[in-house]
Amino acid sequence: MEFLKWLFAPGDFMPHGYCYNWVPGLVWLHVISDSLIFLAYMTIPFTLIHIARRRKDLPFNWMFVCFGVFIVACGVTHAMEVWNLWHAMYWLAGGVKVVTAVASIGTAILLVQLVPQVLKIPSINALHDVNETLTSQGAAVRASEVKFRGILESAPDAMVIADGHGRIVLVNAETERLFGYGREELVGQLVDVLVPERFRGKHPQHREGYTAHPRTRTMGEGRDLWGLRKDKTEFPVEISLSPIETSEGTLISSSIRDVTASKRAEKAMRASEAKFRGILESAPDAMVIADGHGRIVLVNAETERLFGYGRNELVGQAMEMLVPERFRQRHPQHRQGYMAHPRNRLMGEGRDLWGLRKDNTEFPVEISLSPLESEEGILVTAAIRDISVRKAVDKHLVETARELTVKHRLLNAVVEGTTDLIYIRDLENRFTLANSACAKVFRRSVNEVLGSSMRDLLPNDSYDAVAKSDQEIVRDGVPCTLEEIAEIDGVTRLFLTTKGPYHDADGKIIGTIGISREITERKKAEEHLVKMVGELRRSNEELQQFAYVASHDLQEPLRMVASYTQLLAKRYTGRLDSEADEFIAYAVDGSNRMQALIHDLLAYSRAGANGKAYQEISSEKALLEALSNLRVSIQESGAVVTHDSLPTITTDDAQLVQVFQNLVGNAIKYRRAEVPRVHVSAAKNGGQEWNFSVQDNGLGIDPQYFDRIFVLFQRLHGREEFKGTGIGLAICKKIVERLGGRIWVESEPEKGSTFYFALPERDAK
C-alpha cells in the first residue's frame, strides 16, 4: 500500500508544463497530439482483437494480441505525458514506460522468430493461382457432390449419413418415404430417433464400438433389426454400415433396407419347409431324397426305422449303402439313366427289388421315384415301401388258392361220393345245387334236378311238410335237425335232415342248404334193436334172478354135502385104506371150492346191480373201511398199507369200498417172500377225472396178460399156489365201468404192479 502511495505521489518534482514555461500554444500542442495518439492507440487493439476473434482461421493470430498489448502500452505512455504537464508523477510514468518496453521487446522477439514463417506465406500472385485452383477444385467438388447426391437420392435403400456422435447429416428421399419424416426433421437429430425404444439403451454403445474400428460390414449379423417410423410403427430392416472419410472427420453411412416382404417370404418359406418336413416325416413310406450324384441329402423317421440307420449315418452317404451287394454294380448306371429323363415312375417295374438294412438283412421293397426341382439342381425323391407283409400275403394267397382248389376238389369228391343227399334250394324251393345221391333218390340226372321245384318232385302232402320247415328256417334264420317223411315214386321213405339258412355275400338269406340221410332201413333196424334190447333186458333180469336163486338154492344142498364129507374126513381118515382117505379129501376139497365158486358167482351177479344213488363221499373213508375188512389178512401177512390224502368225490361208496378191498386184497395175496407193501394215491388228470392207483411190491404181471386178468374165471397161478376163483378183478372192472370209469394195470414180473382206475368228477347234484 505504501508503494502505491509512493508510486502515485507527485514528490518534489515540478510538472512538465514548467519545461514549456507554460506557453499555452506549446502546452496545448503537446496535450492535443499526445491525446490523439493515445486515442488512436486505444482503438487499434480493439480492431486487432476483433479481427483475431472473427478470423480464428488466420495463421499467427496470436501476434495480433501481442501487437494489441504493445500499442496499448504505448498509448498509456502518451496519456502519462499529458498528465505530467500538470502533475509530476514521473515514477508512474517511468513504470508505464517499463511495461511498454517489456511489451515492445517481447513483440519484437516474437516478430523476429515469426519472420521465416511469414516469408513462407504465398504472394498475391501465388494466392491468386491457388485461388484459381481451388475454384476449379470447388467446381469439381460441387459436381462430385451433385453426383454423390444424385447417387444417394437414386439409391433403392434408405441412406442415412451420420457423424461420429450419431447426429444425422444427410438422408435421401427413400429415407423420408421409409420412415415418414421430412428431411429437415431428421438432419441434426440423433439416429436413435429411427431406432425402437426397446433398443435405444444399447445403441450408443454399439455405435461407439463401430466408430472405434470402422469398416464396411453388415450391422447386427445374426440378429433381427427393427426400424421405427414417425407413426411409431416398427418394421424389420437390414442395415449395411460403411465409413466415409471427410475433412470434418469420419462419417458413417447406413444403408437401410425394409425386409418386411422378404421376412414374410422367409416366414412363408419356413412354413412351407416345415409343412414339407411334416409331410415327409408323417409319410408311411421311407422317404429318401438324393442329389444327382446319388448322395443322400434328406431322410425321414420311417427310413431310420426301416433300415436301422440313424439320420446322421445316412445324410451325405451314397444311396448304394441301402442296396444289396449283388445289385450295387449296376445301380449307378440305372441312376444316370433316370437323371437323363427324370419323371414320376415306379423303379424296376416287373422286377423284384430289395433293400439292405444296417444289420445286413435284406427285405423286398417297392420304390416310387419322382424328380424335385431345387436351387442346387434336380433332386430325386425315392418313396420306399417294405412289402414283406404283402409278399407274404401274396404267397399265402397263392398257397390258399392252391389249398382251396384241393379242398374244392376234395369237397366235390366228398359231395359226389357220399350217399347222403346234399342240396341248396332257393326261396321258391327250386334246387340250385344237388349231388348225385340227391338226383338218384328222385331217379333223375343232376341236370334234371337243378332248377326243378320240390313241388314237381314230391306229392302235395310231402311237399307241404318240407316247404313248411324251409319257411321256418328262412324266417328265423336258425338251422335245425329233423326227421322228414317223403313219398317218392309211391314208396314212403324216411330221412334224417340237417338244414339251415343259405346266405349271399351280403349276409342276406336267399334259400336253404341241407344234407339228408335216408334212415328208412336204420329206423327199421332201430325198432328191431329196441325190441331186442327189451327182450335182452328181460332175459338178463330173469338170468340175474335165476343166478341169484340158483346160487342161493344150491348153497343149501351143497352145505349138506360139504358138512357130511367133512364129517367123513374127520371120523374115518386113517381108519380106512389110503385110497379111501384120498377120495374123502377130494370130496371135501371139491365141496369147498364149489361153495367158494357159488359165493363169488353170487357176488359177481350182484356187482353193478341195485347200486345206490351217487352221493358225495370221502374216498379216503372208503379205503379205510376196506382195510378194516382186510384186517385179518393184513395182520397175518404183516403187510404195510399206506395212502396219500384222497379226494372227496360223488359216487357209490359201497361199490368203491369193494373195489379198494379187491385190489388191496390181491396186492397182499400175490406177494413175494418180503413184507408186502401197498400204497394208495389219487391225482386229478387233465380231464374231469380222478385217477386212483394201488401200487404193490408183489410178484408182478407179464404185460401179455394185462387184458386177460380182468376176464371172469381167468387165473395166472394154480390153485396149489394161491386160492381163489379168478372173479375179483372181473368184479372190479364191472363196478368201475358201472361208475362211469375205466381200469387198467402197469406191471413187470418181479417188480410189483400198479392198478389204476379213473372215476369221473361229478356234480353232487
Side-chain angles (χ1 to χ4, degrees):
M1 186 63 71
E2 292 296 328
F3 173 74
L4 291 177
K5 288 182 179 181
W6 172 79
L7 185 63
F8 286 96
D12 297 328
F13 303 105
M14 62 178 180
H16 205 188
Y18 289 101
C19 294
Y20 299 135
N21 294 321
W22 296 106
V23 176
L26 182 59
V27 170
W28 288 107
L29 175 64
H30 282 277
V31 169
I32 293 171
S33 60
D34 284 329
S35 297
L36 290 175
I37 291 172
F38 170 73
L39 292 174
Y41 277 5
M42 288 299 104
T43 58
I44 290 173
F46 289 107
T47 302
L48 291 175
I49 291 171
H50 178 69
I51 292 172
R53 290 184 63 186
R54 295 298 300 272
R55 292 296 303 274
K56 293 180 180 180
D57 59 321
L58 291 175
F60 325 118
N61 56 2
W62 49 271
M63 185 54 75
F64 288 96
V65 177
C66 293
F67 273 111
V69 173
F70 164 67
I71 292 172
V72 168
C74 291
V76 173
T77 302
H78 285 280
M80 289 303 298
E81 288 294 327
V82 175
W83 181 261
N84 284 333
L85 285 175
W86 289 280
H87 306 283
M89 294 183 181
Y90 295 119
W91 286 108
L92 179 61
V96 171
K97 287 181 179 180
V98 170
V99 172
T100 302
V102 172
S104 300
I105 292 171
T107 303
I109 293 172
L110 293 174
L111 186 60
V112 171
Q113 293 177 349
L114 192 62
V115 169
Q117 299 182 44
V118 173
L119 292 177
K120 291 180 181 179
I121 296 175
S123 63
I124 296 299
N125 292 331
L127 289 174
H128 183 270
D129 293 340
V130 170
N131 189 47
E132 289 293 331
T133 302
L134 290 175
T135 301
S136 62
Q137 289 179 350
V141 168
R142 285 192 297 274
S144 176
E145 183 179 352
V146 170
K147 183 178 180 181
F148 171 74
R149 286 185 177 274
I151 294 172
L152 192 70
E153 292 299 327
S154 62
D157 298 334
M159 304 298 296
V160 178
I161 300 176
D163 60 19
H165 303 290
R167 298 227 171 246
I168 299 173
V169 298
L170 190 63
V171 297
N172 65 349
E174 180 62 18
T175 304
E176 296 180 282
R177 186 198 68 78
L178 188 59
F179 288 92
Y181 289 98
R183 199 168 305 214
E184 68 282 356
E185 295 179 276
L186 290 174
V187 174
Q189 299 295 322
L190 289 172
V191 292
D192 295 356
V193 71
L194 306 178
V195 177
E197 186 71 33
R198 64 183 187 277
F199 301 121
R200 290 181 185 174
K202 289 191 174 183
H203 191 256
Q205 178 183 348
H206 295 313
R207 184 177 65 246
E208 291 170 2
Y210 179 81
T211 54
H213 304 283
R215 67 187 188 282
T216 300
R217 67 175 177 84
T218 300
M219 178 179 173
E221 288 184 284
R223 298 196 306 271
D224 289 335
L225 303 180
W226 297 83
L228 181 67
R229 295 190 178 94
K230 184 177 180 179
D231 61 5
K232 303 300 180 183
T233 58
E234 298 181 9
F235 60 100
V237 294
E238 285 181 356
I239 303 176
S240 297
L241 302 177
S242 58
I244 302 176
E245 297 295 335
T246 68
S247 58
E248 289 90 5
T250 301
L251 301 179
I252 302 171
S253 173
S254 302
S255 175
I256 305 171
R257 177 172 297 176
D258 182 2
V259 293
T260 302
S262 62
K263 285 285 184 180
R264 190 179 296 116
E266 182 181 348
K267 182 178 180 182
M269 185 177 295
R270 284 198 300 269
S272 176
E273 184 178 354
K275 184 178 180 181
F276 171 75
R277 286 186 176 273
I279 294 173
L280 192 71
E281 291 299 328
S282 62
D285 297 334
M287 304 298 293
V288 179
I289 300 177
D291 60 20
H293 303 290
R295 294 281 172 188
I296 299 172
V297 298
L298 189 63
V299 298
N300 65 349
E302 179 62 16
T303 305
E304 296 179 283
R305 187 199 67 78
L306 188 59
F307 287 92
Y309 289 98
R311 202 166 300 213
N312 56 327
E313 296 179 276
L314 291 172
V315 174
Q317 299 298 319
M319 281 287 295
E320 281 73 22
M321 71 182 297
L322 305 180
V323 178
E325 186 71 34
R326 63 184 187 279
F327 301 121
R328 288 182 185 174
Q329 186 174 359
R330 300 190 64 183
H331 191 260
Q333 178 183 348
H334 294 315
R335 185 180 64 249
Q336 291 169 6
Y338 178 82
M339 294 304 297
H341 304 285
R343 68 189 188 281
N344 293 341
R345 68 174 177 83
L346 286 174
M347 177 178 172
E349 289 184 279
R351 298 197 305 272
D352 288 335
L353 303 180
W354 297 84
L356 181 67
R357 294 190 177 93
K358 184 177 180 179
D359 60 5
N360 288 323
T361 58
E362 298 182 8
F363 60 101
V365 295
E366 183 178 81
I367 303 176
S368 297
L369 301 176
S370 58
L372 179 65
E373 296 285 344
S374 72
E375 295 179 357
E376 294 81 12
I378 295 178
L379 302 177
V380 181
T381 300
I384 305 171
R385 178 172 297 175
D386 182 0
I387 58 172
S388 302
V389 175
R390 194 173 75 191
K391 283 284 187 181
V393 170
D394 290 344
K395 182 180 179 181
H396 177 69
L397 288 176
V398 171
E399 293 175 353
T400 302
R402 188 181 298 113
E403 290 177 4
L404 287 176
T405 301
V406 173
K407 289 179 180 179
H408 182 267
R409 292 173 180 171
L410 179 61
L411 180 61
N412 188 62
V414 170
V415 169
E416 291 300 323
T418 184
T419 57
D420 294 338
L421 287 62
I422 300 175
Y423 52 85
I424 298 175
R425 294 194 290 264
D426 62 17
L427 298 178
E428 302 297 327
N429 276 316
R430 291 189 297 266
F431 283 95
T432 58
L433 181 143
N435 66 344
S436 300
C438 182
K440 184 177 180 180
V441 166
F442 296 108
R443 296 186 180 181
R444 288 173 171 77
S445 67
V446 172
N447 290 332
E448 289 175 330
V449 171
L450 293 179
S452 300
S453 171
M454 286 290 290
R455 186 180 294 277
D456 301 330
L457 302 174
L458 296 175
N460 291 337
D461 293 343
S462 299
Y463 171 78
D464 292 341
V466 172
K468 181 180 179 182
S469 63
D470 285 1
Q471 291 169 1
E472 290 175 353
I473 290 172
V474 171
R475 182 191 65 211
D476 301 333
V478 179
C480 66
T481 299
L482 70 162
E483 292 183 358
E484 294 180 320
I485 300 175
E487 185 179 338
I488 302 175
D489 294 334
V491 179
T492 300
R493 306 174 78 166
L494 188 62
F495 298 89
L496 179 63
T497 300
T498 298
K499 55 185 175 181
Y502 181 66
H503 302 83
D504 62 9
D506 298 326
K508 182 181 178 182
I509 297 176
I510 58 173
T512 56
I513 181 171
I515 179 169
S516 299
R517 174 171 294 178
E518 185 173 358
I519 58 173
T520 306
E521 296 301 325
R522 194 181 81 181
K523 271 293 182 180
K524 293 179 180 179
E526 285 178 358
E527 291 174 358
H528 178 70
L529 182 61
V530 169
K531 182 179 179 181
M532 293 298 293
V533 167
E535 293 179 356
L536 184 60
R537 182 180 293 110
R538 179 169 47 80
S539 176
N540 283 341
E541 289 174 355
E542 292 175 352
L543 183 60
Q544 185 176 353
Q545 185 66 26
F546 169 76
Y548 176 77
V549 171
S551 61
H552 182 271
D553 291 347
L554 284 173
Q555 285 188 60
E556 186 60 31
L558 184 59
R559 216 175 359 255
M560 182 180 295
V561 171
S563 61
Y564 279 108
T565 55
Q566 290 170 0
L567 184 59
L568 282 173
K570 183 177 180 181
R571 290 184 178 182
Y572 295 103
T573 298
R575 297 175 64 182
L576 301 177
D577 58 14
S578 59
E579 283 189 352
D581 290 343
E582 185 179 355
F583 294 155
I584 292 173
Y586 286 155
V588 172
D589 180 63
S591 63
N592 288 337
R593 286 191 292 107
M594 181 62 73
Q595 279 185 319
L597 182 61
I598 292 173
H599 181 271
D600 288 345
L601 278 174
L602 182 60
Y604 183 77
S605 67
R606 289 175 175 175
N610 301 319
K612 296 188 297 184
Y614 295 156
Q615 59 183 354
E616 191 173 77
I617 65 160
S618 168
S619 58
E620 188 168 329
K621 185 177 179 181
L623 173 63
L624 294 177
E625 185 176 345
L627 296 180
S628 178
N629 296 338
L630 296 170
R631 183 172 60 254
V632 175
S633 297
I634 294 173
Q635 291 174 351
E636 289 177 352
S637 63
V640 178
V641 182
T642 59
H643 64 87
D644 294 337
S645 177
L646 301 180
T648 298
I649 62 173
T650 301
T651 188
D652 186 330
D653 59 341
Q655 294 189 346
L656 182 59
V657 169
Q658 190 171 0
V659 171
F660 278 134
Q661 185 171 326
N662 284 352
L663 293 178
V664 175
N666 281 353
I668 295 173
K669 180 192 295 185
Y670 299 102
R671 64 182 180 272
R672 291 183 291 174
E674 60 187 270
V675 175
R677 297 184 179 277
V678 184
H679 183 73
V680 181
S681 62
K684 196 170 185 180
N685 62 17
Q688 298 294 316
E689 286 184 328
W690 281 100
N691 282 356
F692 291 87
S693 65
V694 179
Q695 184 179 11
D696 62 52
N697 63 342
L699 296 174
I701 304 170
D702 193 316
Q704 64 177 320
Y705 302 123
F706 283 176
D707 293 331
R708 178 182 171 186
I709 60 177
F710 293 104
V711 179
L712 195 65
F713 300 128
Q714 295 298 315
R715 293 170 53 88
L716 301 183
H717 305 279
R719 292 185 181 87
E720 295 78 11
E721 296 180 80
F722 300 101
K723 295 181 180 181
T725 59
I727 296 179
L729 288 178
I731 292 175
C732 289
K733 184 174 186 294
K734 188 174 182 182
I735 291 175
V736 169
E737 290 178 350
R738 185 257 171 184
L739 297 178
R742 50 199 172 88
I743 187 170
W744 69 98
V745 65
E746 293 179 0
S747 178
E748 290 184 33
E750 302 302 323
K751 292 186 179 181
S753 304
T754 302
F755 282 86
Y756 296 92
F757 63 94
L759 296 179
E761 184 179 38
R762 295 186 178 92
D763 191 337
K765 295 181 181 180

